[in-house]
Amino acid sequence: MKIFIDADGCPVINIIEKICKEKEIPAVAVKDYNHELHSDYIEVITLEQGNDFADLYIANLLNIGDLVITNDMGLASLVLGKGAN
């Protein structure tokens, strides 16, 4: 299992990072270049700004059983359709 974070506007990244580090769960945060994010544990991927770039990037990386943290209903529907949570 891997955790993917839709990091554009996610207010709980620090909490996610702490839990992932404690439980040794790999995590990836995907954001556009307009958002600042640095992490010692979470892999941070920075994309070009554009409609749904981060959402589609995350959806393309998912495997069954992965977990996605997002506030975006469109991404959530893609996640469920791919067998992730």
Side-chain angles (χ1 to χ4, degrees):
M1 177 183 78
K2 187 180 269 191
I3 295 178
F4 291 91
I5 305 160
D6 183 6
D8 293 339
C10 180
V12 294
I13 292 175
N14 292 337
I15 296 168
I16 298 165
E17 179 179 30
K18 180 182 175 188
I19 293 168
C20 287
K21 196 172 190 177
E22 286 174 1
K23 305 292 184 186
E24 297 181 357
I25 301 169
V28 178
V30 182
K31 66 176 193 67
D32 67 38
Y33 63 83
N34 289 320
H35 295 85
E36 196 67 31
L37 176 61
H38 302 282
S39 174
D40 293 332
Y41 185 78
I42 296 174
E43 177 185 355
V44 178
I45 297 174
T46 303
L47 303 174
E48 210 177 302
Q49 182 183 9
N51 284 348
D52 301 324
F53 277 15
D55 298 349
L56 295 174
Y57 188 89
I58 291 169
N60 286 324
L61 292 178
L62 290 176
N63 292 306
I64 293 173
D66 286 342
L67 176 69
V68 178
I69 299 172
T70 185
N71 229 6
D72 185 311
M73 297 304 276
L75 175 57
S77 66
L78 291 172
V79 167
L80 294 174
K82 293 199 77 173
N85 300 301

